[in-house]
C-alpha cells in the first residue's frame, strides 16, 4: 500500500516537471555594419507585418525505481502559438504572442491525467527581448494563469522563459565555436526550479530548410536540475546532472528561427522527506520547436 501511495503521489507531481523543459533557438538580421568575410551577426529581428506560427512538441520519459518496483511515466507537452512584431522599445524587440492551443498529459501506472488546456486558448501577451535574446520583460505571460487536471495552477511564463535563447554577441563564421553559461530559475505556488546550464555551440554552415537559407548551429549542453514540487501537501525534491544535444536552424536574411530540436537525459534522484524516501530516476526529454505554415 505504501508503494502505491508513493507512486500516486509522485505521478500527480510529475506534470510540474514540464516547467523545466527548455527551448533554444536562434534568429538573425542583416546589419549595416561591415562584417568580416564570411561572417554573420546573429540578432533577433522579426519582420513587421508578418505572423509566425510555432508548434512545440515535447516528450518526457521518466523511469523510476520505487522500492524495487519499476515505474515508467510518459509525459507529453504541446504548445501552438503565433509570434509577431509589435515594434521596438529602444533597442529591444516587443513581441506579441498569441496562444493557439496547449495540452499537457501524463500516462503512468495510475492512469492518465491532463489534456487540452482551454483556459489559455486565444490569450495574448507581450514580451520584450533584447537583440541577443535576453528576456527584458515577461510579466504579461506570468499574469495568464491556467489549471492542469490533477496538477494544479501554473502560468504561461514557464513555457516562454527560453523560447528565444541568448545569441553570441560577436560575429561568427562557419566552424566557429563559443560557449554560454546560463541559469534557468523560476518559482510558482507549487514548484521551484534551479537549473544552471553550460552550452558549447558550433556554427555548422548554411542549409536550405523549406526553401529558406538557414544557418545551422549544433550544441552540446550539460548542467544540473534541482526542483521542488508540492503534491498532496508534501514536497518532492528532484535533482541530478543532465547532458544533451541541440540543433538549430534560423533564417539568415529574415531574422527568425525556423526549427530547433533538443534531446537531453538526466540521471538523478527523487526524495520525499515526509515519507523518508529516496529513489533513482532517469529522465529523457525530446523536444522540437518549429515554424508551421
Amino acid at each position: 500500500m505504501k508503494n502505491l501511495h508513493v507512486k500516486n503521489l509522485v505521478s500527480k507531481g510529475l506534470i510540474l516537471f514540464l516547467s523545466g523543459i527548455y527551448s533554444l533557438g536562434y534568429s538573425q538580421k542583416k546589419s549595416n555594419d561591415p562584417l568580416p568575410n564570411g561572417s554573420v551577426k546573429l540578432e533577433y529581428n522579426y519582420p513587421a507585418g508578418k505572423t509566425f506560427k510555432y508548434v512545440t512538441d515535447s516528450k518526457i520519459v521518466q523511469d523510476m525505481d520505487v522500492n524495487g518496483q519499476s515505474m515508467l511515466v510518459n509525459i507529453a507537452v504541446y504548445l501552438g502559438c503565433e509570434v509577431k512584431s509589435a515594434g521596438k522599445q529602444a533597442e529591444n524587440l516587443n513581441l506579441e504572442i498569441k496562444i493557439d492551443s496547449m495540452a499537457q498529459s501524463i500516462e503512468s501506472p495510475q492512469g492518465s491525467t491532463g489534456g487540452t488546456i482551454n483556459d489559455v486558448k486565444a490569450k495574448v501577451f507581450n514580451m520584450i527581448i533584447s537583440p541577443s535574446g535576453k528576456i527584458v520583460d515577461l510579466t504579461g505571460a506570468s499574469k495568464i494563469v491556467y489549471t492542469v487536471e490533477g496538477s494544479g495552477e501554473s502560468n504561461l511564463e514557464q513555457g516562454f522563459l527560453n523560447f528565444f535563447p541568448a545569441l553570441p554577441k560577436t560575429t561568427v563564421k562557419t566552424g566557429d565555436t563559443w560557449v554560454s553559461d546560463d541559469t534557468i530559475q523560476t518559482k510558482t505556488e507549487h514548484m521551484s526550479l534551479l537549473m544552471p546550464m553550460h552550452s558549447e555551440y558550433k556554427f555548422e554552415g548554411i542549409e536550405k530548410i523549406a526553401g529558406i537559407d538557414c544557418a545551422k548551429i549544433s550544441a552540446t549542453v550539460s548542467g544540473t536540475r534541482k526542483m521542488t514540487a508540492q503534491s498532496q501537501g508534501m514536497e518532492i525534491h528532484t535533482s541530478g546532472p543532465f547532458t544533451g544535444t541541440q540543433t538549430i536552424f534560423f533564417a539568415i536574411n529574415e531574422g527568425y528561427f525556423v526549427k530547433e530540436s533538443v534531446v537531453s537525459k538526466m540521471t538523478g534522484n527523487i526524495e520525499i522527506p515526509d515519507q523518508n524516501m529516496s529513489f533513482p530516476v532517469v529522465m529523457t526529454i525530446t523536444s522540437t520547436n518549429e515554424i508551421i505554415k
Side-chain angles (χ1 to χ4, degrees), residues 76-263:
V77 188
Y78 178 91
L79 172 66
C81 69
E82 297 179 359
V83 177
K84 67 179 180 179
S85 173
K88 286 193 173 183
Q89 188 177 86
E91 293 299 316
N92 299 320
L93 286 78
N94 184 4
L95 299 175
E96 181 183 287
I97 313 295
K98 180 180 179 181
I99 306 301
D100 290 329
S101 58
M102 186 175 182
Q104 298 179 354
S105 63
I106 294 179
E107 293 183 0
S108 74
Q110 281 64 54
S112 299
T113 61
T116 301
I117 303 171
N118 294 316
D119 296 350
V120 299
K121 185 175 177 60
K123 295 291 186 180
V124 177
F125 67 91
N126 283 56
M127 63 183 294
I128 298 173
I129 64 173
S130 72
S132 65
K134 181 180 179 180
I135 291 177
V136 177
D137 188 353
L138 193 55
T139 55
S142 65
K143 294 177 181 178
I144 300 178
V145 178
Y146 62 90
T147 300
V148 179
E149 178 190 347
S151 300
E153 193 175 272
S154 189
N155 64 67
L156 284 180
E157 180 184 26
Q158 311 307 313
F160 288 88
L161 284 170
N162 288 278
F163 198 91
F164 306 100
L167 303 174
K169 295 182 178 180
T170 59
T171 60
V172 292
K173 61 182 182 298
T174 300
D176 279 355
T177 60
W178 65 95
V179 299
S180 174
D181 291 292
D182 199 4
T183 298
I184 297 174
Q185 188 169 7
T186 184
K187 187 175 183 178
T188 68
E189 183 180 354
H190 302 286
M191 184 277 298
S192 64
L193 173 71
L194 178 65
M195 193 165 70
M197 238 174 16
H198 176 77
S199 304
E200 299 183 1
Y201 299 98
K202 182 178 181 180
F203 184 12
E204 301 283 359
I206 309 300
E207 292 187 17
K208 275 193 180 293
I209 302 295
I212 301 171
D213 286 331
C214 293
K216 179 182 179 181
I217 293 175
S218 64
T220 59
V221 297
S222 60
T224 303
R225 183 189 303 266
K226 296 180 180 180
M227 195 188 82
T228 299
Q230 298 283 343
S231 180
Q232 297 182 0
M234 298 183 188
E235 287 190 351
I236 302 174
H237 301 287
T238 305
S239 62
F242 66 87
T243 58
T245 59
Q246 302 161 4
T247 305
I248 306 107
F249 296 92
F250 63 91
I252 285 290
N253 299 312
E254 295 84 355
Y256 57 87
F257 78 91
V258 173
K259 183 177 181 180
E260 174 268 336
S261 59
V262 178
V263 178

Side-chain angles (χ1 to χ4, degrees), residues 48-60:
K50 292 185 177 181
T51 298
F52 300 84
K53 293 187 176 184
Y54 286 93
V55 165
T56 303
D57 193 2
S58 302
K59 300 289 188 296
I60 307 172

